[in-house]
Every structure is written in C-alpha cells, then in structure tokens.
Amino acid sequence: MSKHNLDLSLASSSDRGAEIFSSLRKVGVCLHLYLKKKLPDLSTDFIRISSSMTNVSQRMETEEDLLTLLHIKFYHPQQHSKGLYDLLPLGTRSRRSADDPLRLGRDAQACDYSLVDPKVSRKQLALNAYYTPKSPDMLFSIQNLSQRGRLSVNGSLLGYLERMDLPDKALIRFLEYEMLIIRESGEAKTSFEVDMEVMTVPPSRETCTCVPGRAPVMDTGMVNQNTAIPQETEETLICYSN
C-alpha cells in the first residue's frame, strides 16, 4: 500500500471515530436529560412505596392487638391421674387462620389439638370461624365429627356432622369432658387466637346465668327438623360464671 493510500485510510477511520463519538455524546446528553427529568418522579414513587409499606406494617401490628380470642377451658373428672392434656399448648396463646377449621380429637396427625385418651374419637369436633352481614365480629360454629357418640352444646345434642352456632359462652360436653368456650371479640379478619387452660371444677356446677341451646343443623346448612332437642332439666341446665 502506498503512503498516499495509507493516509486516506487513516483519515477515513478518524472521521468514523469522530462520528461514533459524536453519536455517543448525543446519547449521553439525552440520557442525562431523561434521568434529570425522571429522578424526582422516581424519588417520589420510592417515598410513596416506603410510606405504604410502613402503613401496612402499622396495620399488621395493630391487628396483632385486636385478634379475636377463644378461651377454651377443659375439665375431666380424672384429669389429675391421667395425662389427658399432655399434647395441648396449655397457657400459651396460638394463632390460627380464620380459613382453617380448628379440629380436636385423639389423632394428633388429623387434628390441630389432641387429647391423650383412647375413648376420644379420632376426630371429635371442629370449630369454624365465619362472618355474617349483620355483624362485623368473627363468629364461630361447632360441628360434631364423631360417629361414635354425640356432644351437647348448652344442653342441645349434636349428632354426627351436625353443627351449631356458638354464643359468646358455650359449654360443650362429650364423654366425660366439659369444655367452656368463651369468645372475646377482635377486629382482625383473617386470624384469631386460642388460649387453653384446665379448670379445677366442672364449669357446669358454677353459679351463673343460663344460656339456652340453639337448634342444630346438618352440614348442608339446613335445619334438621328430625333431630330431637332435649328439654332443659337440672342435668342439662347450663350455667356460666361472669
């Protein structure tokens, strides 16, 4: 290649380099102007997101203090000689999802809480949370899951798979067990807490105001007209202490 041709080639390369540099400079200027315009918006969006996350966290912390609480108190005449409650979280509050039934029975794998008693059914009962259009409170119903026997709610008998709405205080009886369930209202909608303890005396013997039982219904939600509801007697009269 002659010296003249080499000089022309170098000049052409220099011109292309200058054009590329000029194009990159224009792109840089445009990017700078774009970021200068958008950064305030991005900063505002970041602040808005941070504030939203803080508000959500504060709402969650507030709901922690406003969970509906179920006090469940157990009694059995032989509870001092048998380890019936060894698998229950006595004295410790546990949080539950309102979408999941709370099951009690003998089988620790199939139930959330289990009793160490061969007489208890594998699945004895279930508590279900629900809402109604007439009340903002989280309410509960109870369902008999035992095929071997009935349970009573405030003196009303529940057959297999029958369920009943629970009042704020309810005395549940099955086998020789007595369970006193007391509901304390909260504002949280998705979860509630459970607190369990053992009573030293049967709750049915305590002096208080009597609460009548309600008609049981089948799992279909229809009232079971064929289910006999016993008349209240001294044996089925349910009392609570304040």
Side-chain angles (χ1 to χ4, degrees):
M1 179 181 294
S2 65
K3 181 178 179 181
H4 177 71
N5 292 334
L6 178 62
D7 291 340
L8 290 176
S9 178
L10 292 175
S12 176
S13 298
S14 177
D15 292 341
R16 285 197 300 270
E19 291 176 359
I20 293 173
F21 178 79
S22 177
S23 298
L24 292 176
R25 184 177 179 183
K26 291 179 180 178
V27 171
V29 171
C30 292
L31 181 61
H32 174 74
L33 293 176
Y34 176 80
L35 292 177
K36 185 177 180 180
K37 179 180 179 181
K38 289 295 182 181
L39 277 177
D41 295 336
L42 294 175
S43 178
T44 302
D45 292 341
F46 178 77
I47 294 175
R48 187 183 299 111
I49 293 173
S50 300
S51 177
S52 177
M53 292 177 65
T54 301
N55 292 336
V56 171
S57 176
Q58 290 176 348
R59 286 197 298 270
M60 291 177 63
E61 292 176 358
T62 302
E63 287 192 354
E64 286 287 346
D65 299 330
L66 298 174
L67 291 175
T68 296
L69 177 61
L70 281 186
H71 292 284
I72 302 180
K73 304 181 181 183
F74 292 88
Y75 177 81
H76 189 281
Q78 300 180 17
Q79 61 190 19
H80 298 295
S81 59
K82 297 182 178 181
L84 303 175
Y85 312 125
D86 288 350
L87 299 181
L88 296 181
L90 299 175
T92 303
R93 291 191 180 186
S94 55
R95 185 167 180 170
R96 303 280 310 168
S97 171
D99 295 328
D100 300 328
L102 188 159
R103 296 185 180 90
L104 175 71
R106 185 186 72 251
D107 191 340
Q109 299 297 323
C111 298
D112 306 287
Y113 303 104
S114 57
L115 297 169
V116 186
D117 188 342
K119 296 181 181 180
V120 174
S121 295
R122 178 173 171 268
K123 295 180 182 179
Q124 189 70 44
L125 59 87
L127 301 177
N128 296 274
Y130 70 95
Y131 288 94
T132 65
K134 298 180 180 180
S135 174
D137 293 340
M138 181 185 296
L139 305 176
F140 293 87
S141 66
I142 185 170
Q143 185 178 28
N144 183 11
L145 301 180
S146 175
Q147 300 184 54
R148 298 188 298 172
R150 296 190 173 214
L151 63 81
S152 67
V153 181
N154 291 359
S156 296
L157 295 180
L158 288 181
Y160 178 54
L161 293 184
E162 287 184 338
R163 62 179 176 85
M164 180 183 296
D165 295 337
L166 290 179
D168 292 342
K169 290 184 179 180
L171 180 61
I172 315 301
R173 282 176 166 175
F174 60 92
L175 300 174
E176 295 183 86
Y177 290 90
E178 292 187 11
M179 288 172 51
L180 181 62
I181 301 179
I182 303 174
R183 182 184 66 89
E184 291 185 8
S185 297
E187 295 183 5
K189 302 297 183 183
T190 60
S191 58
F192 62 95
E193 284 186 319
V194 178
D195 180 30
M196 296 185 173
E197 63 177 277
V198 177
M199 301 186 69
T200 57
V201 296
S204 58
R205 294 183 183 177
E206 297 184 0
T207 304
C208 65
T209 303
C210 299
V211 179
R214 301 180 182 180
V217 296
M218 295 300 292
D219 193 44
T220 58
M222 300 297 293
V223 176
N224 184 3
Q225 301 294 345
N226 297 324
T227 302
I229 302 174
Q231 298 296 322
E232 286 192 342
T233 64
E234 292 183 357
E235 182 179 357
T236 59
L237 201 59
I238 309 304
C239 300
Y240 306 104
S241 61
N242 296 324

